[in-house]
């Protein structure tokens, strides 16, 4: 198939491009490179020995997207492009609503115009808000605490409404838990913009000596050791989850959690990283971070039963692969 991957130069998109190319698909990436570099495309090509077709274009500009669809017979779209920093979204809500919502609307509109009926969307476990765990797809969505999360919940609703009005559409909404790790080649991985917000990239930068000490945000949660528990998922498992979703698309909107179903605390992740990479990480316990949940992990049976997909890589793989990429990353 000819798959258009929006945001394909980014962290999750680039790994998914590798999986798609390895499955024999043709990949057309559209990315404005606002949070990525063209070099990633070269690296995808190097890993797979294939060639991605690349367009530097902004999805908020509908006419540009129209031109791309007119040049290629697109069979399906995987829509990763979006801004994702929770903190920045609180400071600049307009930027987030505009970028994330207008991009989704434009892409869906162009799909309708060209009769492209297969659509996979990147959502987030953040849409569950402070709901019960494990998070199961049938839960009612609670308001999230930030504009970023709201753009995901809104995009989900937009896709549901458009799909109700157009029964030919097949939409898969994938709610990611906490993606970490990198491709085993060490060529592609997560490159945070400035000081990382998320735990794993922060840990790898402490390990590299770029940052002196890790701050553990609170040890007084009602969890096994008092620190926050998350469902970390290897980015290559996530990539393979997209291929499975694409292969299983059926008419209507279908929502799947992509996680491992297992929770790991901050202290457990630190210990696993130290063991896997024979490195000591210095850390200190500090205050809780505003807006953090005690615990989040996925109920994964729907993805297994309907997509035949299950995460295969463990915490050790995640820690080793994340560190290999950080060591190789010359920035
Ligand atoms: P990323 O920032 O690495 O990749 C997103 C890509 O989209 C970047 O290359 C960026 O340049 C591009 N982009 C942004 N706005 C664009 C626009 N208007 N037009 C064209 N390109 C644009 O992020 P990621 O971690 O790979 O996340 C991919 C998707 O998954 C995002 O939608 C994100 O919200 C969602 N998600 C990510 C996580 C996570 O922890 N990484 C968790 C849940 C959901
Ligand atoms: C964060 C976002 C969430 C987003 C997700 C994936 C917030 C409040 N939430 O979630 O919306 O979907 O990333 O991109 O920003 N931790 C530390 N020290 C650190 C960093 C994190 O102790 O320096 C802890 C956190 O308190 C948490 C765990 O590590 O318990 C994981 O944090 P993080 O990687 O930021 O992910 P989330 O909090 O799940």
């Amino acid at each position: 198939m000819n798959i258009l991957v929006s945001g394909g130069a980014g962290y999750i998109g680039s790994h998914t491009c590798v999986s798609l190319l390895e499955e024999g698909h043709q990949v057309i990436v559209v990315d404005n490179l606002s949070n990525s570099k063209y070099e990633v495309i070269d690296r995808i090509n190097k890993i797979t020995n294939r060639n991605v077709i690349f367009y530097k274009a902004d999805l908020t500009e509908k006419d540009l997207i129209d031109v791309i669809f007119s040049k290629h017979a697109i069979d399906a779209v995987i829509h990763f492009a979006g801004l994702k920093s929770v903190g920045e979204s609180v400071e600049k809500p307009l930027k987030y609503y505009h970028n994330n919502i207008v991009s989704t609307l434009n892409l869906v509109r162009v799909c309708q115009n060209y009769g492209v009926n297969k659509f996979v969307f990147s959502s987030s476990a953040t849409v569950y808000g402070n709901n019960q765990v494990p998070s199961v797809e049938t839960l009612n969505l609670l308001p999230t605490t930030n504009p970023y999360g709201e753009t995901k919940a809104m995009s989900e609703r937009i896709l549901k409404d458009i799909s109700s009005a157009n029964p030919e559409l097949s939409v898969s909404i994938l709610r990611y838990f906490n993606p970490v790790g990198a491709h085993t080649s060490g060529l592609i991985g997560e490159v945070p913009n400035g000081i990382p917000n998320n735990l794993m990239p922060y840990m790898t930068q402490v390990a590299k000596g770029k940052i002196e000490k890790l701050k553990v945000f609170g040890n007084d949660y009602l969890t096994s050791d008092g620190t926050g528990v998350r469902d970390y998922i290897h980015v290559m498992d996530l990539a393979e989850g997209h291929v499975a979703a694409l292969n299983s698309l059926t008419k209507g909107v279908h929502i799947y959690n992509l996680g491992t179903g297992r929770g790991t605390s901050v202290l457990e992740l630190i210990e696993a990283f130290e063991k896997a990479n024979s490195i000591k990480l210095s850390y200190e316990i500090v205050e809780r971070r505003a807006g953090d949940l005690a615990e989040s992990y996925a109920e994964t049976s729907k993805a297994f039963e309907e997509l035949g997909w299950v995460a295969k890589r463990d915490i050790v793989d995640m820690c080793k692969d994340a560190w290999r990429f950080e060591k190789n990353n010359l920035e």
Side-chain angles (χ1 to χ4, degrees), residues 86 124 126 178 197-199 215-217 228 230 232 289 292:
V86 171
S124 166
T126 196
N178 288 62
N197 296 313
N198 298 120
L199 181 59
K215 293 185 177 72
V216 175
F217 296 141
R230 296 291 183 275
Y232 298 97
R289 178 172 65 179
D292 265 357

Side-chain angles (χ1 to χ4, degrees), residues 78-81 120-124 152 172-174 176 242:
I78 308 184
H79 179 31
F80 292 102
V120 178
F121 177 66
S122 296
S123 189
S124 166
K152 291 296 170 193
S172 197
I173 291 174
L174 305 179
Y176 313 152
H242 288 75

